[in-house]
Amino acid sequence: MPSRPRLSAREPVDPDLDDRPDRPPRGPSPRRPSRRRPRPGHLRDEATLLGTIAVGGALGALARFVAGRVWGTGGAAFPWTTLTINVVGCALIGVLMVLVTDVWTGRRLLRPFVGTGVLGGFTTFSTYAVDIQRLATGGRPLIALAYLLATVVAALAAVWAAAVGTRALVERRAR
């Protein structure tokens, strides 16, 4: 199984996915399942986490719905609203990851609420796929291809630029 590329110490790392060698492993070994009983309160912690994500997801989905109603794109038009929602959501994820790893450490429910919940509900890559299919089957395959590529490039650029910009502001403020 190929290993994931290593991230530099300067890039934000999701603490749930952090596999740097200086960090102790999280959870049971994949080769040897844990035989320990769940600690007291474990199910309550999981319910709190799932409830937090669900509330955030509802808020994000509501924001996406409102944006779609206010700036709707229909028919064979280029789906500017979906593109904008996804790019803005990715930029906010870049900001969030720097803040939760460098500034607001120790806030256990912040990343699940905002990142997984609000921004997961706000961004809409399922609509993105439907938009591509709608454009392609509607006789606009070049527009569909342009939209496919523009979304990926703009979303990656947005998350990178937002993370770099936020990190610069955080470091400047720390001086």
Side-chain angles (χ1 to χ4, degrees), residues 4-139:
R4 290 192 314 241
R6 295 283 175 198
L7 299 174
S8 75
R10 309 247 329 126
E11 295 170 329
V13 177
D14 183 335
D16 293 335
L17 302 175
D18 190 355
D19 66 349
R20 290 179 288 184
D22 60 327
R23 301 278 257 193
R26 296 174 61 97
S29 165
R31 284 179 242 121
R32 186 175 31 112
S34 173
R35 294 178 194 258
R36 291 181 291 152
R37 289 184 153 161
R39 64 182 177 15
H42 174 72
L43 293 178
R44 185 177 54 242
D45 290 349
E46 290 296 313
T48 300
L49 178 63
L50 290 174
T52 299
I53 292 169
V55 169
L59 293 173
L62 179 62
R64 179 184 67 222
F65 175 78
V66 169
R69 290 290 186 194
V70 172
W71 301 289
T73 310
F78 190 87
W80 288 107
T81 303
T82 304
L83 175 66
T84 303
I85 286 170
N86 287 334
V87 172
V88 167
C90 286
L92 292 172
I93 288 169
V95 170
L96 174 71
M97 287 310 297
V98 170
L99 293 178
V100 299
T101 58
D102 294 1
V103 178
W104 299 323
T105 59
R107 294 197 170 119
R108 184 177 83 83
L109 297 175
L110 180 64
R111 187 190 54 80
F113 174 73
V114 178
T116 306
V118 174
L119 297 176
F122 181 66
T123 56
T124 174
F125 285 90
S126 59
T127 302
Y128 160 71
V130 170
D131 287 342
I132 292 168
Q133 181 184 19
R134 180 181 48 80
L135 290 168
T137 58

